[in-house]
Structures are given as C-alpha cells and as structure tokens.
Amino acid sequence: MSFFDSVILGIVEGLTEFLPISSTGHLILTAHLLQIPESDFLKAFEVAIQLGAILAAGLLYWRKLFLDREIFQRVCIALLPALGVGFIFYATIKKLLGSESIVLWSLLLGGIIIVVFE
C-alpha cells in the first residue's frame, strides 16, 4: 500500500465514521477501487484507523457515557444484540465481508432503508 492509498483510506474513514453509513463497507470498497491487495497489513491498517475514530468519539463523549448512568445502560443494552449476532454468525459475516458485491448491495439497501424511514 502506498502513502497515497493510506491517505485516501484515512479520509474515507474520517468522512464516513460519524455518518449513518458503514465506514467499514466504504473502506472495503475504497481498497477495492484503489486495487490494494487484501493482506494482513491492510486489515491491520483498517482496524488501526477505525480504532482511532472510535477513540476520538470516546474522548469526545466520555463524560456523557460514563457519568450519566441511564445513557451508559442504554448503550450497553443496545450493544447486546450486535454482540450476540456477531458471536453466532461470525464465520458467515467474515466470509460475506470479503465480497465487494455483498458490501455494495448492503450499502445500497441500507441507504434505501434509511431514506424510507426518514
């Protein structure tokens, strides 16, 4: 991966992390468009830049999250279904996320659902 590729991936992560869209899906599609070969380094890089965005959000909202008991409880309860689904369907999700066409269709359908519900 070149320096240019890493900058583009960083910009995509920064723009998509705080929007109601999948930053992971956009990183997968961007890597595909830039023709970056899938490797352990690419996966580690994607995790690192996503961790940076998560830590930034954590620093921004830590007081609300940890000092307001009701918000903390709601976040924990909202996290349980995602953890359960992720644990049960880990192998399937991992396989599907490797396919750019699945990611593309998921983003399209998710976008349509968001527009309909808005």
Side-chain angles (χ1 to χ4, degrees):
M1 175 176 10
S2 70
F3 178 76
F4 174 77
D5 294 338
S6 62
V7 168
I8 296 298
L9 290 174
I11 290 170
V12 168
E13 174 63 26
L15 291 175
T16 59
E17 185 62 38
F18 294 101
L19 298 173
I21 57 178
S22 171
S23 61
T24 303
H26 283 82
L27 284 176
I28 291 168
L29 293 177
T30 302
H32 179 73
L33 288 173
L34 293 173
Q35 298 176 350
I36 302 170
E38 189 170 328
S39 65
D40 288 339
F41 177 78
L42 176 62
K43 290 178 187 176
F45 183 80
E46 289 173 344
V47 168
I49 61 175
Q50 288 184 318
L51 181 60
I54 292 168
L55 289 175
L59 286 173
L60 185 62
Y61 294 110
W62 76 271
R63 284 190 181 149
K64 277 191 173 193
L65 181 62
F66 292 112
L67 298 180
D68 188 334
R69 184 180 173 104
E70 184 178 345
I71 290 176
F72 184 76
Q73 287 175 337
R74 288 180 179 190
V75 168
C76 289
I77 290 169
L79 186 61
L80 290 176
L83 290 174
V85 169
F87 180 75
I88 293 168
F89 296 107
Y90 173 77
T92 304
I93 292 169
K94 186 175 178 181
K95 185 174 73 172
L96 292 176
L97 278 180
S99 168
E100 290 84 13
S101 61
I102 296 288
V103 172
L104 185 61
W105 282 105
S106 298
L107 289 173
L108 178 65
L109 291 174
I112 290 169
I113 289 169
I114 288 172
V115 168
V116 167
F117 279 103
E118 283 296 318

